[in-house]
Amino acid sequence: TSSLRAPPAPEPHDQCDCLAEQPLSESSRLLSVLLVGSIRDLLPTSPDKVGPTEDAPHIVFVATDVLHMVPFAALRNVPHQQVTAAEFARADYLIDAFAVSVAPSVSLLCHWTRNPPKSTRPPNTPPKMAAVGVEHFEDAKRPTLRHAQLETAYVARLYNAEPVKAETVTPRGLLEEVFPKSKGVESLHLATHAFLEPVSCAHGAFDNKGALLLRPDDLPLTLSHMRWELPSAVIGEQQLDHISLCTLSACHTAEGQT
């Protein structure tokens, strides 16, 4: 595994403003040049189009600041920094030649490398999947997530599983029937709304005030929003090391927004 940190571009704030004003294809080219072309000589060699198989070279990007919003799987495998628009159009995606991962920090990457997750499932069998989908919400401010249940049914079928039953798609249901290690869930797909609100704390640190929005629990109405919100602080208190993959599929997640 190669742990790579993309070098910062000169004047990053100006660069971000520049990207924001560019058409999508040009922004994609600039990002590929900055994040792939600039480190091309450091990347492991790979045959063309081997795909993200177990034998493919593995690249781990450690994102910082605004780079957390970059869809690394959509970067092109450009050969150098001076790539033209024509060369970019012909370039394959990075994931056609490498297995690409993104780590939120170097410390977590080191932890995962030294303590890889252990699985007791037999080889060549898919991990146990829990697919959670919510289309309609008690919070009137949150729009309907159309086709969320169709999405979770499709994802679950890829893992030879069934979507999580509606009565379990509540804060209490996830805490008791999905999150515990005894339930054996290794992959979790959440098709629902969520919000994340960074809150400034002492010494310049930040805390996250956010939540997943689910179906309401059967709780007293005095707790109102707590009936359908699962706070990020509560999620952070759970032991979830056994879940190796968690995907949040909400209304704006593909845009890198909260």
Side-chain angles (χ1 to χ4, degrees):
T1 300
S2 299
S3 173
L4 304 177
R5 179 186 295 270
E11 301 179 357
H13 295 293
D14 292 343
Q15 190 65 249
C16 292
D17 292 339
C18 174
L19 290 174
E21 297 171 358
Q22 297 292 333
L24 181 60
S25 58
E26 180 62 11
S27 297
S28 178
R29 187 186 72 84
L30 289 173
L31 284 170
S32 296
V33 167
L34 287 170
L35 301 178
V36 180
S38 62
I39 58 170
R40 198 66 188 82
D41 58 332
L42 300 177
L43 296 180
T45 58
S46 169
D48 290 337
K49 298 185 179 180
V50 298
T53 65
E54 292 184 359
D55 297 328
H58 193 179
I59 302 173
V60 181
F61 288 96
V62 182
T64 59
D65 198 43
V66 296
L67 294 184
H68 283 291
M69 296 188 290
V70 172
F72 287 91
L75 296 177
R76 297 293 185 98
N77 191 16
V78 296
H80 49 75
Q81 285 188 276
Q82 306 303 321
V83 63
T84 64
E87 288 175 319
F88 174 76
R90 293 192 298 267
D92 295 319
Y93 289 101
L94 194 63
I95 58 174
D96 287 331
F98 302 98
V100 177
S101 299
V102 182
S105 68
V106 173
S107 58
L108 282 176
L109 175 62
C110 292
H111 172 75
W112 292 331
T113 302
R114 296 167 183 164
N115 304 280
K118 299 179 181 178
S119 175
T120 57
R121 58 185 166 86
N124 301 319
T125 59
K128 183 175 180 181
M129 153 66 68
V132 175
V134 184
E135 289 192 2
H136 304 284
F137 300 84
E138 293 287 318
D139 186 348
K141 296 183 296 183
R142 305 294 172 177
T144 297
L145 272 184
R146 297 178 58 194
H147 310 307
Q149 293 180 349
L150 286 175
E151 173 186 331
T152 51
Y154 177 81
V155 170
R157 190 162 63 247
L158 295 176
Y159 289 81
N160 298 322
E162 293 291 333
V164 175
K165 294 181 179 179
E167 58 267 26
T168 305
V169 186
T170 67
R172 180 183 296 174
L174 261 63
L175 292 173
E176 296 180 355
E177 301 296 332
V178 176
F179 286 172
K181 188 174 183 179
S182 60
K183 302 301 179 181
V185 173
E186 293 183 76
S187 295
L188 179 60
H189 186 90
L190 300 165
T192 185
H193 281 304
F195 63 90
L196 182 64
E197 299 176 358
V199 179
S200 181
C201 300
H203 309 297
F206 284 87
D207 192 8
N208 288 324
K209 179 185 177 183
L212 289 174
L213 302 186
L214 305 165
R215 292 171 59 88
D217 270 320
D218 186 15
L219 295 174
L221 292 179
T222 52
L223 297 176
S224 62
H225 66 284
M226 289 301 295
R227 297 173 61 232
W228 60 79
E229 289 185 7
L230 180 55
S232 55
V234 174
I235 297 174
E237 294 171 354
Q238 310 305 305
Q239 295 294 325
L240 302 175
D241 291 347
H242 56 286
I243 298 179
S244 58
L245 175 65
C246 180
T247 302
L248 174 61
S249 176
C251 56
H252 292 294
T253 44
E255 300 175 7
Q257 299 177 5
T258 56

